């Protein structure tokens, strides 16, 4: 996930092979509210935007098949 911190747009990039399954991406705010959601299919990189969201810390939850990973991103 880059750039981190961001001023609005960020890119989620997968290392290694492109996931064969659909990849579900959910972004949550500090209070646990879902602020963004998307499904990626067959892409190594995908751009998301938080430009209409307030500055703060956001948590990104990525699910692909039976794997799940979380990261955080800071928006200025």
């Amino acid at each position: 996930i880059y750039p981190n911190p961001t001023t609005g747009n960020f890119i989620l990039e997968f290392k290694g092979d492109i996931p064969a399954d659909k990849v579900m991406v959910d972004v949550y705010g500090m209070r646990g509210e879902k602020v963004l959601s998307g499904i990626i299919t067959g892409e190594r990189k995908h751009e998301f935007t938080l430009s209409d969201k307030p500055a703060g810390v956001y948590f990104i939850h990525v699910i692909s098949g039976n794997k799940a990973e979380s990261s955080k991103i800071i928006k200025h």
Side-chain angles (χ1 to χ4, degrees):
I1 298 170
Y2 62 90
N4 190 6
T6 183
T7 55
N9 292 353
F10 67 92
I11 295 174
L12 174 65
E13 182 175 356
F14 298 101
K15 305 274 187 203
D17 295 334
I18 297 172
D21 300 328
K22 288 182 183 176
V23 177
M24 295 174 37
V25 180
D26 294 318
V27 181
Y28 296 90
M30 283 298 293
R31 295 186 195 116
E33 74 281 10
K34 189 185 292 187
V35 297
L36 186 64
S37 189
I39 296 175
I40 303 171
T41 307
E43 294 179 70
R44 178 174 300 283
K45 292 182 186 180
H46 190 84
E47 186 171 7
F48 292 91
T49 185
L50 292 172
S51 58
D52 60 336
K53 307 295 182 222
V57 177
Y58 292 86
F59 297 93
I60 302 164
H61 192 65
V62 180
I63 302 170
S64 176
N66 61 354
K67 294 180 183 178
E69 193 169 321
S70 294
S71 280
K72 73 176 178 180
I73 191 166
I74 298 169
K75 181 182 184 255
H76 289 295

